[in-house]
Amino acid sequence: MSNQTSLRVADLPQNAPTPFDLRPDAKALEAIKDDLGLLGLRKLSFVGDVRAQGKRDWALNGKLGATVIQPCVVTLEPVTTRIDIPVARIFVADWVDPTEAEFEIPEGDDTEQLGAEIDPTLVMVEALSLALPQYPRKDGAELGQADFTEPGKQAMTDEDVKPFAGLAGLRDTLKKDE
């Protein structure tokens, strides 16, 4: 999937932007949907360009759009979310490994090491995965209080399960006695 959209850095013009317009077909959408664990993925597009930044670095700027369907974290019912976000990456030739102790991470985490190719498809999938709602929730879905007990007995409440609530009172009583 990715090698069709890879741009060889050596072939990119230094003085003009190289545009891209990605609109994955049904087969590619299905693969991305499965990779990201989605129930559905529609209207995925990534449009932008790659341009030189300085003498050796490159900047990718684009707009990502997608409609994703995920299971609700409460009810597991499908939740549809529209994502429209700007995406920016800087590909740096003189890469410094961020694990070195003295290295300070600049604001934003959009900097990557420049390789032989820049692949807008990989950037698109990564940006989409980062933009997904972490806890999709159907409107009005809330976690209620579940009461479990044997028939005929009083169910324990959340208040009953606070084991240290009584200890605080005991501690205060013991301190008075000292």
Side-chain angles (χ1 to χ4, degrees):
M1 173 172 63
S2 61
N3 43 8
Q4 301 138 339
T5 61
S6 282
L7 304 170
R8 281 189 36 154
V9 173
D11 297 341
L12 293 174
Q14 193 72 28
N15 56 357
T18 301
F20 58 85
D21 186 342
L22 305 178
R23 297 174 195 278
D25 62 19
K27 187 176 172 187
L29 283 176
E30 188 71 21
I32 295 167
K33 177 189 82 132
D34 291 346
D35 273 358
L36 299 181
L38 301 171
L39 298 177
L41 177 60
R42 304 190 303 266
K43 300 180 185 168
L44 177 59
S45 67
F46 189 40
V47 180
D49 63 40
V50 175
R51 58 182 71 209
Q53 181 164 311
K55 294 212 179 298
R56 301 179 55 215
D57 300 339
W58 294 87
L60 178 150
N61 287 290
K63 182 165 174 44
L64 175 71
T67 300
V68 297
I69 304 169
Q70 298 171 278
C72 171
V73 294
V74 177
T75 65
L76 299 181
E77 292 177 62
V79 178
T80 302
T81 307
R82 180 68 195 163
I83 296 171
D84 284 297
I85 57 166
V87 176
R89 294 286 185 280
I90 309 294
F91 295 90
V92 180
D94 297 323
W95 179 253
V96 178
D97 187 353
T99 58
E100 291 179 20
E102 334 52 81
F103 182 76
E104 286 185 33
I105 296 175
E107 65 283 342
D109 57 353
D110 57 358
T111 305
E112 297 183 20
Q113 182 168 6
L114 178 65
E117 297 182 338
I118 294 174
D119 189 346
T121 298
L122 293 179
V123 174
M124 172 183 69
V125 174
E126 177 188 81
L128 178 61
S129 72
L130 293 172
L132 291 174
Q134 286 192 307
Y135 304 103
R137 190 175 278 211
K138 194 111 177 121
D139 284 346
E142 289 186 27
L143 288 172
Q145 178 171 313
D147 296 327
F148 301 103
T149 189
E150 297 173 38
K153 292 194 176 177
Q154 181 69 36
M156 281 182 73
T157 66
D158 287 345
E159 287 301 310
D160 297 333
V161 188
K162 293 186 176 158
F164 299 110
L167 291 177
L170 180 61
R171 181 194 64 209
D172 294 342
T173 306
L174 291 173
K175 281 190 176 177
K176 286 180 197 166
D177 293 344
E178 289 176 358

